[in-house]
Amino acid sequence: MDITLTQLRYFSEAAAQLSMTGAAERLKVAQSAVSSAVAQVEKQLGSQLFIRQRAKGLLLTQSGELFLKDANAVLAHLEEIVENAKGDQSRVSGVVRLACFSTLAPFHIPELVSRLKAEHPELVLEVLEADAAGCARALSEGQADLALCYELGLPENVAMNTVSSARPYIALPMEHELAGETALKLQQLSDEPFILLDMPHSRELMLSILRNAGVEPKVRYQSASYETVRTFVAHSHGYSILHQRPTHSSTYDGNQVAMVEIADKVPELRTVLAYLRSQRPTGRMRAVAEAVHAQVAERATISLAKNTR
């Protein structure tokens, strides 16, 4: 069977972009070259890999999904062979596609890009922001090599390693009578309106935290935007439960939010780096993972130093 590595690359990129045109632009080749390569692969396999949808792009068939996993594994293994042959494991180049949970992106991505530019100037990080389902889908469909996300909603075909763990806290208006407390029982807020971070899996987690503490939440407003939720709180429209902790209390419009610890027993939420179990991690992927872990470790050290002063 005569399937070339170029054909595999073209097929893999078409699957990642779900578009022949998009793949051609990424690969800097003619669209006809991508279409021809995919057609040749389908002919060799005797199986349709894509459903062509007029004006809607491509859709992977079941055979296409299975073949994509194997094709990406072959390409990753080839890359590792080349890296080993070069001998210099510290030097990596090329593109890594990272899916990032949208509320984590502002806390991690800009600094990560700066770190990678300094440590690996020939490495390009492309970022796709998404919710939990979007991160899982990006991995499964080959649109991302890695995902930086919470451990929520990840399928069994995804492996993960922990980056950090965060305990939830209560966000209160700065002028709230309990804003100066070190910690509060959630029952103390049972009669007050709740501002919900309305994202898949995050939504269910926040509501379960309250209900496990015996509180039936009175949801007044909800938003998929982390910062919008904080701003609702700052304007005294209610309280919220969040995980990410900014280094300052200000919202976009200059108001203030107090962060108060939860006295109840509540679960911590892990931030993870995820990737397909069937995918062999490349040198580029390892470089990004190492940078993420180093960045989080440095922040933890700085935070500990501030808290012990």
Side-chain angles (χ1 to χ4, degrees), residues 61-250:
T61 64
Q62 185 175 9
S63 295
E65 290 177 355
L66 292 173
F67 186 69
L68 176 62
K69 293 177 183 178
D70 291 335
N72 284 340
V74 169
L75 294 171
H77 185 47
L78 175 63
E79 180 180 325
E80 187 172 32
I81 290 172
V82 172
E83 288 169 353
N84 290 337
K86 288 180 178 179
D88 185 1
Q89 299 299 307
S90 64
R91 182 174 179 178
V92 292
S93 61
V95 177
V96 174
R97 293 174 292 197
L98 175 70
C100 186
F101 193 77
S102 56
T103 63
L104 292 174
F107 291 91
H108 292 279
I109 298 304
E111 183 179 345
L112 178 61
V113 170
S114 298
R115 178 183 290 269
L116 289 172
K117 280 185 177 180
E119 296 178 354
H120 304 286
E122 297 178 23
L123 184 65
V124 177
L125 184 68
E126 294 187 352
V127 180
L128 167 67
E129 291 188 35
D131 59 17
C135 287
R137 186 168 56 253
L139 289 173
S140 297
E141 295 180 356
Q143 296 172 318
D145 306 300
L146 293 166
L148 180 61
C149 56
Y150 290 123
E151 60 186 324
L152 303 171
L154 292 174
E156 291 184 359
N157 66 335
V158 169
M160 66 187 86
N161 58 70
T162 301
V163 171
S164 63
S165 185
R167 198 172 189 275
Y169 65 91
I170 300 168
L172 284 174
M174 194 63 77
E175 63 271 19
H176 193 284
E177 62 182 359
L178 298 175
E181 297 293 323
T182 303
L184 292 171
K185 287 277 190 180
L186 291 170
Q187 280 280 3
Q188 293 177 258
L189 301 167
S190 60
D191 294 329
E192 301 199 21
F194 183 65
I195 313 298
L196 176 65
L197 180 59
D198 190 18
M199 302 183 74
H201 302 292
S202 296
R203 176 197 313 119
E204 290 77 14
L205 175 62
M206 301 308 177
L207 295 178
S208 70
I209 288 173
L210 287 166
R211 287 170 180 151
N212 288 340
V215 177
E216 185 55 39
K218 298 176 173 61
V219 179
R220 175 170 292 179
Y221 297 106
Q222 51 199 48
S223 173
S225 165
Y226 168 85
E227 191 57 33
T228 300
V229 169
R230 292 182 74 245
T231 306
F232 267 123
V233 170
H235 280 266
S236 299
H237 292 299
Y239 72 100
S240 189
I241 296 175
L242 298 169
H243 283 86
Q244 289 299 310
R245 300 177 184 240
T247 57
H248 58 81
S249 60
S250 298

